[in-house]
Amino acid sequence: MDSWSVPPVPSLPGVSRGLDLYDTATGTVRPTEPGPVARMYVCGITPYDATHMGHAATYVAFDIVQRVWLDAGHDVHYVQNVTDIDDPLLERAVATGQDWRVIADRETALFREDMSALNVIPPRDYLGAVESIPSVARYVEDLQVKGAVYAVDDDLYFSVHADPRFGTVANLDEAQMIAEFAERGGDPDRPGKRHPLDCLVWQDARPDEPAWDTPLGHGRPGWHIECVAIALDTLGMTIDVQGGGSDLAFPHHEMGASEAQVLTGEWPYARHYAHAGMVAWQGHKMSKSRGNLVFVSQLRHEGHDPAAIRLALLAHHYRSNWAWTEHGLTGAEERLALWQRAVARPAGTDAAPVIARVREHLSNDMQCPSALDVIDAWAMEQQSGTGTDPQAPGLIAEMCDALLGVRLLP
Ligand code: 5CA
Ligand code: ZN
């Protein structure tokens, strides 16, 4: 599937110490220790509606991961999926009378536009569930060979306990797991399952639903195995970061990790499981199913500068849950204007210590709000006009672009 175009990323003087990142599995902030090529998989959208601020916050957070790694001298292999066949898409198709493929193509195109406008560096591999079906079928056959799959009617389930480490990503007790599984698309109560938490890896064709012919029969993939197949095909085992919003820690990342660990006999699937907090609006987590949404495209069409939208997102630590407000966007617009005026001056105070402080905040589990404060202080000082270094404004602008993805100069 086509991704979007790669924006220029300036390189900066000085050195970064790399990235420490919170890992859900261990509950600690630990150094990421990628090799020359850092490998990251971030779960992509289910394209049945437009990109909202919650999606944008999550993808901007992982864009900062990529930017900090690039600044630390790594090549980054970033992979993302598009869940372009799943129940919510089919439900939306029935509700609107549109073909599910038309909806998926249209919303994926809009997502690319939104990501491009927000200056998000695209994934190197951008893969859809539909185009990955042959690969999913091979992995499911492999799980069958390993004795980790059984049938319920003509659907296939993965025995999550085939992985002795099942449960060590989200660290929930069984009652919590069952409750969250039921809430997030799982089917703990289906009769015939050997364990309530076992998850669907292949769904036999249902009347009036799309299905594909594979050696497993006529049907479509389960959700978790889609991401595992794409990640293993492109990145292989033991990726540096598996990312997504915190609503994916369980069941999605837990079950995906177990599928991959049983498939390969290796551990861990990912060195870090990183999760962005949930963005709320009108008192609830923004969600397509609830319909309480603020869309990136709508704000863009109203004339809001995407750099300000990005700054509004970066004003919150990526792991916190927070609520979108118009006030937050206004504040970001004022901050953007302040920064633009500051870098437009012919000279400024030395940029090197500012860059060092911003780097340090970002290296420390991406403390973006603190990084913004450092730049605010430099920009305020600019108003006094005392700085004499003619290189400083340009360097600060390049830093904002490279590390935060906020472009200040046209
Ligand atoms: N296609 C699957 C992942 S394989 C999926 O969860 N799609 S999604 O469209 O529902 O969400 C896309 C990404 O946005 C996921 O990482 C999800 O965790 C994140 N996300 C969804 N809602 C919010 C929200 N309100 N705040 C922050 N992130 C969110
Ligand atoms: Zn996923």
Side-chain angles (χ1 to χ4, degrees), residues 185-227:
D187 54 1
D189 299 326
R190 180 167 179 182
K193 282 173 66 171
R194 293 185 190 158
H195 190 284
L197 291 171
D198 290 346
C199 63
L200 193 69
V201 282
W202 187 259
Q203 178 171 294
D204 192 49
R206 305 284 193 267
D208 302 323
E209 283 193 3
W212 289 263
D213 281 321
T214 72
L216 302 169
H218 193 59
R220 61 180 166 103
W223 173 29
H224 319 305
I225 193 74
E226 161 197 340
C227 285

Tab-separated table of all heavy atoms in Angstrom, residues 185-227:
chain	number	residue	atom	x	y	z
A	185	GLY	N	-13.697	-6.203	21.545
A	185	GLY	CA	-13.856	-7.028	20.342
A	185	GLY	C	-13.662	-8.515	20.546
A	185	GLY	O	-13.788	-9.286	19.595
A	186	GLY	N	-13.349	-8.962	21.772
A	186	GLY	CA	-13.145	-10.393	22.014
A	186	GLY	C	-14.464	-11.110	22.288
A	186	GLY	O	-15.522	-10.491	22.376
A	187	ASP	N	-14.384	-12.430	22.426
A	187	ASP	CA	-15.594	-13.237	22.596
A	187	ASP	C	-15.392	-14.286	23.696
A	187	ASP	O	-15.423	-15.485	23.442
A	187	ASP	CB	-15.958	-13.926	21.266
A	187	ASP	CG	-14.785	-14.723	20.690
A	187	ASP	OD1	-13.690	-14.759	21.326
A	187	ASP	OD2	-14.952	-15.336	19.626
A	188	PRO	N	-15.175	-13.820	24.954
A	188	PRO	CA	-14.858	-14.777	26.019
A	188	PRO	C	-15.945	-15.830	26.250
A	188	PRO	O	-15.642	-16.913	26.726
A	188	PRO	CB	-14.673	-13.884	27.263
A	188	PRO	CG	-15.347	-12.601	26.927
A	188	PRO	CD	-15.221	-12.434	25.454
A	189	ASP	N	-17.186	-15.493	25.906
A	189	ASP	CA	-18.291	-16.405	26.251
A	189	ASP	C	-18.686	-17.361	25.138
A	189	ASP	O	-19.650	-18.101	25.273
A	189	ASP	CB	-19.532	-15.574	26.638
A	189	ASP	CG	-19.242	-14.690	27.850
A	189	ASP	OD1	-18.452	-15.143	28.721
A	189	ASP	OD2	-19.761	-13.557	27.900
A	190	ARG	N	-17.959	-17.352	24.040
A	190	ARG	CA	-18.405	-18.210	22.934
A	190	ARG	C	-18.322	-19.696	23.315
A	190	ARG	O	-17.262	-20.176	23.714
A	190	ARG	CB	-17.539	-17.960	21.695
A	190	ARG	CG	-17.983	-18.842	20.532
A	190	ARG	CD	-17.369	-18.410	19.231
A	190	ARG	NE	-17.806	-19.312	18.169
A	190	ARG	CZ	-17.417	-19.224	16.918
A	190	ARG	NH1	-16.580	-18.274	16.549
A	190	ARG	NH2	-17.863	-20.078	16.020
A	191	PRO	N	-19.430	-20.411	23.193
A	191	PRO	CA	-19.402	-21.838	23.535
A	191	PRO	C	-18.439	-22.592	22.616
A	191	PRO	O	-18.305	-22.252	21.436
A	191	PRO	CB	-20.844	-22.301	23.270
A	191	PRO	CG	-21.675	-21.061	23.235
A	191	PRO	CD	-20.776	-19.963	22.746
A	192	GLY	N	-17.783	-23.580	23.150
A	192	GLY	CA	-16.875	-24.406	22.346
A	192	GLY	C	-15.427	-23.997	22.476
A	192	GLY	O	-14.519	-24.735	22.085
A	193	LYS	N	-15.184	-22.783	23.037
A	193	LYS	CA	-13.782	-22.373	23.227
A	193	LYS	C	-13.184	-23.142	24.412
A	193	LYS	O	-13.865	-23.413	25.396
A	193	LYS	CB	-13.695	-20.856	23.483
A	193	LYS	CG	-13.836	-20.036	22.216
A	193	LYS	CD	-13.905	-18.550	22.518
A	193	LYS	CE	-12.615	-18.019	23.108
A	193	LYS	NZ	-12.626	-16.550	23.202
A	194	ARG	N	-11.873	-23.430	24.287
A	194	ARG	CA	-11.233	-24.171	25.389
A	194	ARG	C	-10.905	-23.258	26.554
A	194	ARG	O	-10.844	-23.691	27.692
A	194	ARG	CB	-9.948	-24.836	24.882
A	194	ARG	CG	-10.259	-25.919	23.876
A	194	ARG	CD	-8.998	-26.657	23.481
A	194	ARG	NE	-9.293	-27.519	22.359
A	194	ARG	CZ	-8.388	-27.985	21.505
A	194	ARG	NH1	-7.107	-27.661	21.652
A	194	ARG	NH2	-8.756	-28.757	20.505
A	195	HIS	N	-10.630	-21.989	26.248
A	195	HIS	CA	-10.383	-21.014	27.322
A	195	HIS	C	-11.029	-19.701	26.882
A	195	HIS	O	-10.947	-19.339	25.710
A	195	HIS	CB	-8.871	-20.821	27.547
A	195	HIS	CG	-8.569	-20.034	28.787
A	195	HIS	ND1	-8.720	-18.670	28.849
A	195	HIS	CD2	-8.172	-20.426	30.021
A	195	HIS	CE1	-8.418	-18.253	30.066
A	195	HIS	NE2	-8.085	-19.300	30.795
A	196	PRO	N	-11.666	-18.971	27.810
A	196	PRO	CA	-12.359	-17.734	27.410
A	196	PRO	C	-11.453	-16.738	26.686
A	196	PRO	O	-11.928	-15.945	25.857
A	196	PRO	CB	-12.826	-17.130	28.735
A	196	PRO	CG	-12.698	-18.194	29.766
A	196	PRO	CD	-11.792	-19.258	29.252
A	197	LEU	N	-10.139	-16.755	26.983
A	197	LEU	CA	-9.248	-15.747	26.399
A	197	LEU	C	-8.662	-16.162	25.051
A	197	LEU	O	-7.986	-15.358	24.403
A	197	LEU	CB	-8.108	-15.420	27.381
A	197	LEU	CG	-8.556	-14.667	28.631
A	197	LEU	CD1	-7.418	-14.583	29.643
A	197	LEU	CD2	-9.031	-13.259	28.263
A	198	ASP	N	-8.889	-17.404	24.623
A	198	ASP	CA	-8.356	-17.799	23.316
A	198	ASP	C	-8.915	-16.865	22.248
A	198	ASP	O	-10.068	-16.426	22.325
A	198	ASP	CB	-8.726	-19.263	23.026
A	198	ASP	CG	-7.956	-20.218	23.932
A	198	ASP	OD1	-6.969	-19.776	24.564
A	198	ASP	OD2	-8.349	-21.393	24.020
A	199	CYS	N	-8.080	-16.532	21.263
A	199	CYS	CA	-8.516	-15.503	20.302
A	199	CYS	C	-8.582	-16.040	18.874
A	199	CYS	O	-7.830	-16.928	18.477
A	199	CYS	CB	-7.607	-14.278	20.391
A	199	CYS	SG	-5.895	-14.595	19.960
A	200	LEU	N	-9.481	-15.418	18.151
A	200	LEU	CA	-9.738	-15.793	16.759
A	200	LEU	C	-8.523	-15.478	15.885
A	200	LEU	O	-8.004	-14.365	15.919
A	200	LEU	CB	-10.937	-14.966	16.290
A	200	LEU	CG	-11.623	-15.337	15.000
A	200	LEU	CD1	-12.361	-16.656	15.134
A	200	LEU	CD2	-12.615	-14.228	14.609
A	201	VAL	N	-8.076	-16.455	15.100
A	201	VAL	CA	-7.024	-16.154	14.124
A	201	VAL	C	-7.547	-16.265	12.688
A	201	VAL	O	-6.959	-15.702	11.770
A	201	VAL	CB	-5.769	-17.048	14.289
A	201	VAL	CG1	-4.908	-16.573	15.458
A	201	VAL	CG2	-6.125	-18.519	14.433
A	202	TRP	N	-8.637	-16.985	12.515
A	202	TRP	CA	-9.224	-17.103	11.176
A	202	TRP	C	-10.719	-17.281	11.317
A	202	TRP	O	-11.177	-18.149	12.071
A	202	TRP	CB	-8.613	-18.304	10.427
A	202	TRP	CG	-9.075	-18.352	9.006
A	202	TRP	CD1	-10.046	-19.166	8.487
A	202	TRP	CD2	-8.621	-17.518	7.929
A	202	TRP	NE1	-10.223	-18.891	7.155
A	202	TRP	CE2	-9.362	-17.884	6.781
A	202	TRP	CE3	-7.666	-16.506	7.825
A	202	TRP	CZ2	-9.163	-17.264	5.546
A	202	TRP	CZ3	-7.485	-15.893	6.595
A	202	TRP	CH2	-8.221	-16.283	5.474
A	203	GLN	N	-11.455	-16.425	10.617
A	203	GLN	CA	-12.913	-16.483	10.694
A	203	GLN	C	-13.470	-17.008	9.383
A	203	GLN	O	-13.221	-16.418	8.324
A	203	GLN	CB	-13.457	-15.078	10.984
A	203	GLN	CG	-14.963	-15.028	11.038
A	203	GLN	CD	-15.454	-13.679	11.536
A	203	GLN	OE1	-15.234	-13.310	12.688
A	203	GLN	NE2	-16.101	-12.932	10.667
A	204	ASP	N	-14.197	-18.109	9.474
A	204	ASP	CA	-14.809	-18.699	8.286
A	204	ASP	C	-15.802	-17.700	7.672
A	204	ASP	O	-16.396	-16.885	8.386
A	204	ASP	CB	-15.527	-19.987	8.711
A	204	ASP	CG	-15.936	-20.809	7.496
A	204	ASP	OD1	-15.082	-21.030	6.613
A	204	ASP	OD2	-17.118	-21.221	7.436
A	205	ALA	N	-15.943	-17.766	6.361
A	205	ALA	CA	-16.812	-16.806	5.659
A	205	ALA	C	-18.218	-16.786	6.245
A	205	ALA	O	-18.792	-17.830	6.542
A	205	ALA	CB	-16.879	-17.171	4.182
A	206	ARG	N	-18.752	-15.579	6.440
A	206	ARG	CA	-20.140	-15.407	6.872
A	206	ARG	C	-20.955	-14.966	5.653
A	206	ARG	O	-20.412	-14.304	4.755
A	206	ARG	CB	-20.243	-14.310	7.940
A	206	ARG	CG	-19.351	-14.494	9.163
A	206	ARG	CD	-19.928	-15.553	10.099
A	206	ARG	NE	-19.293	-15.545	11.409
A	206	ARG	CZ	-18.256	-16.289	11.786
A	206	ARG	NH1	-17.680	-17.117	10.921
A	206	ARG	NH2	-17.788	-16.221	13.019
A	207	PRO	N	-22.249	-15.282	5.644
A	207	PRO	CA	-23.075	-14.849	4.516
A	207	PRO	C	-22.979	-13.325	4.348
A	207	PRO	O	-22.943	-12.595	5.341
A	207	PRO	CB	-24.502	-15.259	4.922
A	207	PRO	CG	-24.358	-16.164	6.089
A	207	PRO	CD	-23.007	-15.967	6.688
A	208	ASP	N	-22.901	-12.856	3.145
A	208	ASP	CA	-22.881	-11.419	2.831
A	208	ASP	C	-21.656	-10.680	3.346
A	208	ASP	O	-21.671	-9.460	3.456
A	208	ASP	CB	-24.140	-10.703	3.366
A	208	ASP	CG	-25.413	-11.308	2.811
A	208	ASP	OD1	-25.381	-11.699	1.623
A	208	ASP	OD2	-26.400	-11.411	3.555
A	209	GLU	N	-20.614	-11.390	3.712
A	209	GLU	CA	-19.375	-10.706	4.125
A	209	GLU	C	-18.252	-11.109	3.179
A	209	GLU	O	-18.254	-12.214	2.645
A	209	GLU	CB	-18.993	-11.097	5.565
A	209	GLU	CG	-19.836	-10.401	6.609
A	209	GLU	CD	-19.262	-10.545	8.006
A	209	GLU	OE1	-18.164	-11.136	8.151
A	209	GLU	OE2	-19.909	-10.060	8.942
A	210	PRO	N	-17.284	-10.194	2.976
A	210	PRO	CA	-16.172	-10.544	2.095
A	210	PRO	C	-15.341	-11.682	2.687
A	210	PRO	O	-15.227	-11.805	3.899
A	210	PRO	CB	-15.341	-9.258	2.038
A	210	PRO	CG	-15.757	-8.466	3.230
A	210	PRO	CD	-17.165	-8.844	3.536
A	211	ALA	N	-14.787	-12.516	1.793
A	211	ALA	CA	-13.943	-13.630	2.242
A	211	ALA	C	-12.951	-13.960	1.146
A	211	ALA	O	-13.162	-13.613	-0.019
A	211	ALA	CB	-14.819	-14.832	2.564
A	212	TRP	N	-11.852	-14.571	1.535
A	212	TRP	CA	-10.764	-14.879	0.597
A	212	TRP	C	-10.453	-16.376	0.663
A	212	TRP	O	-10.570	-16.993	1.740
A	212	TRP	CB	-9.526	-14.059	0.968
A	212	TRP	CG	-9.688	-12.600	0.670
A	212	TRP	CD1	-9.248	-11.947	-0.446
A	212	TRP	CD2	-10.356	-11.605	1.463
A	212	TRP	NE1	-9.598	-10.602	-0.391
A	212	TRP	CE2	-10.279	-10.365	0.774
A	212	TRP	CE3	-11.018	-11.626	2.691
A	212	TRP	CZ2	-10.838	-9.188	1.269
A	212	TRP	CZ3	-11.586	-10.453	3.192
A	212	TRP	CH2	-11.485	-9.250	2.482
A	213	ASP	N	-10.041	-16.919	-0.488
A	213	ASP	CA	-9.669	-18.338	-0.533
A	213	ASP	C	-8.224	-18.520	-0.122
A	213	ASP	O	-7.333	-17.894	-0.701
A	213	ASP	CB	-9.861	-18.879	-1.959
A	213	ASP	CG	-11.319	-19.184	-2.218
A	213	ASP	OD1	-11.975	-19.701	-1.285
A	213	ASP	OD2	-11.796	-18.873	-3.322
A	214	THR	N	-7.997	-19.354	0.857
A	214	THR	CA	-6.642	-19.661	1.310
A	214	THR	C	-6.615	-21.151	1.645
A	214	THR	O	-7.672	-21.790	1.692
A	214	THR	CB	-6.283	-18.875	2.597
A	214	THR	OG1	-7.032	-19.444	3.690
A	214	THR	CG2	-6.575	-17.394	2.493
A	215	PRO	N	-5.432	-21.687	1.923
A	215	PRO	CA	-5.382	-23.101	2.347
A	215	PRO	C	-6.194	-23.362	3.623
A	215	PRO	O	-6.522	-24.510	3.920
A	215	PRO	CB	-3.882	-23.332	2.607
A	215	PRO	CG	-3.189	-22.291	1.790
A	215	PRO	CD	-4.093	-21.109	1.760
A	216	LEU	N	-6.518	-22.304	4.376
A	216	LEU	CA	-7.315	-22.488	5.592
A	216	LEU	C	-8.797	-22.575	5.273
A	216	LEU	O	-9.604	-22.870	6.151
A	216	LEU	CB	-7.112	-21.296	6.545
A	216	LEU	CG	-5.691	-20.996	7.013
A	216	LEU	CD1	-5.639	-19.649	7.723
A	216	LEU	CD2	-5.200	-22.103	7.938
A	217	GLY	N	-9.168	-22.268	4.038
A	217	GLY	CA	-10.566	-22.217	3.652
A	217	GLY	C	-10.923	-20.810	3.206
A	217	GLY	O	-10.045	-19.971	2.975
A	218	HIS	N	-12.251	-20.598	3.078
A	218	HIS	CA	-12.764	-19.337	2.576
A	218	HIS	C	-13.127	-18.485	3.795
A	218	HIS	O	-14.026	-18.845	4.555
A	218	HIS	CB	-14.014	-19.670	1.749
A	218	HIS	CG	-14.512	-18.553	0.903
A	218	HIS	ND1	-13.750	-17.944	-0.067
A	218	HIS	CD2	-15.727	-17.937	0.883
A	218	HIS	CE1	-14.461	-16.999	-0.649
A	218	HIS	NE2	-15.663	-16.967	-0.096
A	219	GLY	N	-12.412	-17.377	4.005
A	219	GLY	CA	-12.695	-16.589	5.209
A	219	GLY	C	-11.848	-15.345	5.275
A	219	GLY	O	-11.391	-14.831	4.239
A	220	ARG	N	-11.645	-14.844	6.505
A	220	ARG	CA	-10.800	-13.653	6.679
A	220	ARG	C	-10.041	-13.734	8.007
A	220	ARG	O	-10.424	-14.488	8.897
A	220	ARG	CB	-11.622	-12.370	6.552
A	220	ARG	CG	-12.730	-12.183	7.564
A	220	ARG	CD	-13.443	-10.859	7.282
A	220	ARG	NE	-14.704	-10.730	7.961
A	220	ARG	CZ	-14.899	-9.995	9.061
A	220	ARG	NH1	-13.894	-9.360	9.632
A	220	ARG	NH2	-16.097	-9.906	9.610
A	221	PRO	N	-8.970	-12.932	8.098
A	221	PRO	CA	-8.095	-13.051	9.271
A	221	PRO	C	-8.721	-12.503	10.554
A	221	PRO	O	-9.574	-11.627	10.507
A	221	PRO	CB	-6.880	-12.167	8.917
A	221	PRO	CG	-7.043	-11.771	7.504
A	221	PRO	CD	-8.470	-11.941	7.136
A	222	GLY	N	-8.240	-13.014	11.685
A	222	GLY	CA	-8.507	-12.381	12.971
A	222	GLY	C	-7.623	-11.140	13.065
A	222	GLY	O	-6.747	-10.913	12.223
A	223	TRP	N	-7.842	-10.344	14.114
A	223	TRP	CA	-7.178	-9.040	14.182
A	223	TRP	C	-5.706	-9.140	14.612
A	223	TRP	O	-4.804	-8.640	13.925
A	223	TRP	CB	-7.971	-8.144	15.133
A	223	TRP	CG	-7.374	-6.828	15.458
A	223	TRP	CD1	-6.546	-6.066	14.664
A	223	TRP	CD2	-7.567	-6.076	16.664
A	223	TRP	NE1	-6.226	-4.897	15.311
A	223	TRP	CE2	-6.832	-4.879	16.532
A	223	TRP	CE3	-8.306	-6.306	17.835
A	223	TRP	CZ2	-6.809	-3.918	17.550
A	223	TRP	CZ3	-8.286	-5.340	18.828
A	223	TRP	CH2	-7.536	-4.158	18.682
A	224	HIS	N	-5.433	-9.780	15.755
A	224	HIS	CA	-4.066	-9.736	16.303
A	224	HIS	C	-3.044	-10.344	15.330
A	224	HIS	O	-1.948	-9.808	15.153
A	224	HIS	CB	-4.001	-10.438	17.659
A	224	HIS	CG	-5.183	-10.131	18.529
A	224	HIS	ND1	-5.525	-8.835	18.825
A	224	HIS	CD2	-6.129	-10.921	19.103
A	224	HIS	CE1	-6.632	-8.847	19.584
A	224	HIS	NE2	-7.009	-10.094	19.748
A	225	ILE	N	-3.429	-11.441	14.689
A	225	ILE	CA	-2.497	-12.142	13.796
A	225	ILE	C	-2.135	-11.273	12.582
A	225	ILE	O	-1.072	-11.431	11.992
A	225	ILE	CB	-3.092	-13.518	13.357
A	225	ILE	CG1	-2.041	-14.412	12.710
A	225	ILE	CG2	-4.293	-13.335	12.426
A	225	ILE	CD1	-1.047	-15.021	13.649
A	226	GLU	N	-3.011	-10.335	12.247
A	226	GLU	CA	-2.727	-9.416	11.125
A	226	GLU	C	-1.456	-8.612	11.422
A	226	GLU	O	-0.531	-8.549	10.595
A	226	GLU	CB	-3.926	-8.477	10.952
A	226	GLU	CG	-3.652	-7.207	10.167
A	226	GLU	CD	-4.733	-6.141	10.388
A	226	GLU	OE1	-5.850	-6.481	10.822
A	226	GLU	OE2	-4.454	-4.960	10.099
A	227	CYS	N	-1.399	-8.036	12.608
A	227	CYS	CA	-0.235	-7.207	12.940
A	227	CYS	C	1.019	-8.058	13.114
A	227	CYS	O	2.111	-7.655	12.722
A	227	CYS	CB	-0.521	-6.377	14.198
A	227	CYS	SG	-1.619	-5.001	13.820
